[in-house]
Amino acid sequence: MKSQCKIIAIVELILGILGSFILAKSGGLNAYTGERNWTTTIFIFLIGVIVSYVFFVVLYSISEIMDNQEYIMKQLEQTDATPESRSVKSVGSNSSASLLSGTKSSTMDEEGWLCTKCGRLNPNSSSICSCGKHRF
Ligand SMILES: [Zn+2]
């Protein structure tokens, strides 16, 4: 984006100088006698060059401002994003961990107990697993 704007600015300057050259060439001629009035020719050319140069400076400074803005935005994003994402991440992992442990313990309490020998889920009413292992 910024480089495009700079290219446009340079092209505008070249075209402006060429345009003012052409304008001066045709505008410098006396319409009646067909003779060249050098004062008018140089005057037209200079005005054309100055106008195109002013436009070039404006376009170029806009591209510089855009460049700076892009840089500032990137800096802001970098400084903003890192601590935020970190805090979000830690909060997320904490909550999910507590949720997991919560659901684990609740299922253990409500549905029964896991046998340490065969891994079968046994109801709380039975204290001995079907494989013969005692709950405690
Ligand atoms: Zn068992």
Side-chain angles (χ1 to χ4, degrees), residues 44-65:
I44 291 165
F45 181 70
L46 277 176
I47 284 172
V49 168
I50 288 161
V51 166
S52 52
Y53 183 73
V54 166
F55 270 105
F56 167 74
V57 168
V58 168
L59 282 169
Y60 200 85
S61 51
I62 286 167
S63 74
E64 285 286 312
I65 289 160

Side-chain angles (χ1 to χ4, degrees), residues 43 59 87 97:
F43 187 70
L59 282 169
S87 63

Side-chain angles (χ1 to χ4, degrees), residues 113 115-120 122 129-133:
W113 54 281
C115 174
T116 49
K117 196 181 171 190
C118 68
R120 196 193 297 265
N122 297 293
C129 179
S130 50
C131 70
K133 175 105 175 68

